[in-house]
Amino acid sequence: MSDYLFDPTSNKRYYTWNLALRQQFGEKVFKVPIDAGFDCPNRDGTAAFGGCTFCSVSGSGDMMVAPEAPLADQFQKEVSQMHEKWPQVSQYLLYFQNFTNTHAPVSIIRQRFEQVLNEEGVVGISVATRPDCLPDDVVEYLAELNQRYYLWVELGLQTTFDSTSQSINRAHDYQTYLDGVAKLRKHNIRVCTHLINGLPGETKEMMVENVRRTLLDSDIQGIKLHLLHLMTNTRMVRDYVAGRLHFMSQEDYTQVICDQLELIPKDIIIHRLTGDAPRDTIVGPMWSLKKWEVLNGIDQELVRRNSYQGKFQVRK
């Protein structure tokens, strides 16, 4: 493999999630979103009230097919829809996506997860959660799952700057994230960290610094880089109205992503470089709705720079 092309079939200059799954399982794998009915500690008063200011009433499940259906039915409905485009796929990664999927007693977490783990074709699990929701008994259950399945834990960090975390009502600090990663890595559990570009008050330099700090301070195996979407009926709309939030241009976003990719070591999997939001609820930036145009722009900028993931990689 050359320095430039991680996957010659797609001409990608970064280590994509799709490629990683093909390497692991020998073929394309569906990531099937599941809403297991959990809440969030900064919504129910455990840590705070109101949720993160960017979060909608449905958490991160705005694009799900049937979030209120029984878990097995959710799985079947999501798979059926995916098969309309990729009928040949037969292996699935369960994605416990919505809200905080370790925010409950371990007995409840186990009961909900196990409802769908035995569905035909399930080969792995991805659990989206927060770093302040990893008590020892929950981590032990995750360690058990890690022995049974291909497991990822996706930790929402969003920013390494505590001042930003406070302004978006994140209700945990950066050190809590570092402690959470350390607890998971003691059991060799794969960690994917989520960061958001475009949060109120953060400069392009701060966005790049978020990636640099995360790489230097924590042992992660994957990263998700999101674009901030402002959605209706979120508290962050007030920041926009008050002039505290300015949307990134597509050009600025492309430049920041490429700067970030250049820092990320080549063995770290890039799970995502942009994000989705329903057209009827998004306030902006509207260019983000053209997902493939955004991704193609990133590819083109890497070519223009004669660059690729890890060109200036940082390590501990």
Side-chain angles (χ1 to χ4, degrees):
M1 181 175 66
S2 72
D3 283 339
Y4 297 96
L5 295 182
F6 284 72
D7 182 0
T9 64
S10 65
N11 292 321
K12 293 295 184 184
R13 295 181 173 219
Y14 55 91
Y15 189 10
T16 68
W17 175 234
N18 181 58
L19 175 60
L21 290 177
R22 288 181 182 274
Q23 291 173 333
Q24 180 71 30
F25 298 105
E27 62 182 18
K28 186 175 182 63
V29 176
F30 282 159
K31 192 174 183 182
V32 183
I34 299 289
D35 184 343
F38 296 102
D39 205 338
C40 211
N42 67 343
R43 296 171 65 98
D44 66 8
T46 305
F49 289 100
C52 296
T53 60
F54 58 78
C55 193
S56 71
V57 293
S58 55
S60 57
D62 298 281
M63 307 291 281
M64 296 178 70
V65 174
E68 297 181 0
L71 302 193
D73 290 350
Q74 286 185 44
F75 175 81
Q76 294 299 334
K77 289 176 184 294
E78 292 282 352
V79 167
S80 294
Q81 179 169 288
M82 292 173 177
H83 277 163
E84 292 176 7
K85 188 172 183 180
W86 295 284
Q88 76 282 4
V89 175
S90 61
Q91 297 189 81
Y92 313 105
L93 194 77
L94 293 172
Y95 182 23
F96 293 99
Q97 177 183 17
N98 212 21
F99 294 121
T100 305
N101 290 274
T102 59
H103 181 48
V106 68
S107 58
I108 293 176
I109 297 169
R110 180 186 291 270
Q111 186 271 334
R112 294 182 187 177
F113 282 16
E114 300 290 338
Q115 288 183 48
V116 279
L117 287 175
N118 292 323
E119 290 290 326
E120 184 177 355
V122 171
V123 294
I125 314 160
S126 193
V127 179
T129 190
R130 291 164 50 99
D132 56 346
C133 292
L134 294 170
D136 291 344
D137 56 351
V138 170
V139 173
E140 289 170 7
Y141 174 54
L142 293 172
E144 174 193 326
L145 290 176
N146 196 40
Q147 297 299 314
R148 296 162 54 193
Y149 296 92
Y150 177 75
L151 174 72
W152 282 86
V153 172
E154 301 192 21
L155 287 184
L157 172 58
Q158 319 313 355
T159 178
T160 65
F161 292 93
D162 286 342
S163 57
T164 306
S165 293
Q166 292 167 10
S167 73
I168 63 175
N169 197 42
R170 190 65 192 159
H172 70 73
D173 61 11
Y174 183 44
Q175 186 60 50
T176 300
Y177 159 80
L178 298 177
D179 294 342
V181 174
K183 291 183 73 171
L184 294 167
R185 293 302 296 148
K186 282 179 63 176
H187 298 278
N188 295 315
I189 295 170
R190 301 172 190 84
V191 176
C192 173
T193 297
H194 292 210
L195 292 169
I196 296 178
N197 289 323
L199 289 170
E202 292 206 346
T203 64
K204 289 180 283 185
E205 292 75 19
M206 292 170 72
M207 297 173 209
V208 175
E209 180 66 7
N210 279 327
V211 168
R212 192 190 71 82
R213 287 182 180 179
T214 302
L215 296 171
L216 290 175
D217 297 343
S218 58
D219 176 19
I220 63 172
Q221 293 66 54
I223 194 165
K224 267 190 180 180
L225 299 172
H226 294 265
L227 169 66
L228 174 70
H229 296 102
L230 180 61
M231 299 173 67
T232 58
N233 299 319
T234 62
R235 296 167 65 190
M236 193 172 280
V237 170
R238 290 179 289 185
D239 291 307
Y240 181 62
V241 172
R244 293 187 294 270
L245 170 62
H246 302 279
F247 296 140
M248 296 185 74
S249 69
Q250 184 173 345
E251 180 180 358
D252 284 347
Y253 187 75
T254 299
Q255 295 295 325
V256 166
I257 285 290
C258 292
D259 291 346
Q260 292 170 326
L261 283 172
E262 289 174 341
L263 296 181
I264 300 171
K266 297 177 185 179
D267 58 335
I268 291 182
I269 300 166
I270 309 300
H271 288 233
R272 172 168 280 188
L273 289 181
T274 185
D276 301 306
R279 182 178 293 272
D280 60 347
T281 62
I282 186 172
V283 178
M286 302 309 292
W287 57 260
S288 67
L289 295 172
K290 300 177 181 179
K291 179 178 178 182
W292 291 110
E293 181 180 301
V294 176
L295 293 174
N296 289 338
I298 293 167
D299 292 340
Q300 291 163 11
E301 175 61 16
L302 288 173
V303 171
R304 189 196 69 79
R305 294 184 182 196
N306 194 32
S307 194
Y308 48 89
Q309 177 184 338
K311 185 174 184 178
F312 307 119
Q313 68 181 29
V314 297
R315 288 284 193 184
K316 284 188 178 182

